[in-house]
């Protein structure tokens, strides 16, 4: 089992930057794929960025070139560096951990952190 706690959200002006952190505890962090999702009220949750246990990454088209996901297995933490932020990036951002073990899916979510991009 994994507990995930996001931090680093807040209010930033367009063009600014934020770094989100997700601290994991309760299991073997290095065995999990990690992802960042975002969801605005009344909209579907969407994948922003993901990173495998081996370090491979993928991004939503809307954030390519602006956001970077990374992980520090020694610190049990995954990060999302967000640059050149736009008002449309305003959302609640959620951290996700996923793996399969003995044919069973393990899927965990953090509580979310608010990111607001506005003048």
């Amino acid at each position: 089992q994994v507990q995930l706690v996001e931090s680093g959200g807040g209010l930033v002006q367009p063009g600014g930057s934020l770094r989100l952190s997700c601290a994991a505890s309760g299991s073997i962090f290095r065995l999990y794929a990690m992802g960042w999702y975002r969801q605005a009220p009344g909209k579907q949750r969407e994948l922003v960025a993901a990173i495998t246990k081996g370090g491979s990454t993928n991004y939503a088209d809307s954030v390519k070139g602006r956001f970077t996901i990374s992980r520090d297995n020694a610190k049990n933490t995954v990060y999302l560096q967000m640059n050149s932020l736009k008002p449309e990036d305003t959302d609640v951002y959620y951290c996700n951990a996923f793996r399969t073990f003995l044919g069973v899916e393990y899927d965990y979510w953090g509580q979310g952190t608010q990111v607001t991009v506005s003048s």
Side-chain angles (χ1 to χ4, degrees):
Q1 59 185 21
V2 176
Q3 293 80 46
L4 304 173
V5 180
E6 302 100 330
S7 62
L11 175 64
V12 65
Q13 294 183 345
S17 297
L18 286 172
R19 189 177 76 159
L20 305 184
S21 298
C22 174
S25 63
S27 192
I28 304 174
F29 176 81
R30 63 180 174 84
L31 298 181
Y32 287 80
M34 303 296 297
W36 288 97
Y37 292 72
R38 64 188 182 187
Q39 185 174 27
K43 297 183 179 180
Q44 293 186 322
R45 188 171 298 186
E46 65 172 352
L47 175 69
V48 177
I51 185 167
T52 70
K53 63 182 182 180
S56 298
T57 60
N58 64 82
Y59 299 90
D61 288 341
S62 60
V63 307
K64 287 180 179 177
R66 299 189 297 121
F67 291 9
T68 303
I69 188 171
S70 61
R71 66 192 297 161
D72 187 337
N73 289 341
K75 297 181 179 179
N76 286 1
T77 302
V78 63
Y79 305 95
L80 185 67
Q81 179 66 46
M82 303 185 293
N83 299 325
S84 302
L85 283 161
K86 304 174 181 179
E88 51 263 43
D89 295 319
T90 296
D91 276 311
V92 178
Y93 284 71
Y94 296 89
C95 181
N96 172 256
F98 177 81
R99 74 163 181 150
T100 59
F101 181 67
L102 299 178
V104 179
E105 292 186 358
Y106 295 84
D107 194 11
Y108 302 95
W109 294 92
Q111 82 287 351
T113 185
Q114 176 70 48
V115 172
T116 302
V117 185
S118 176
S119 298

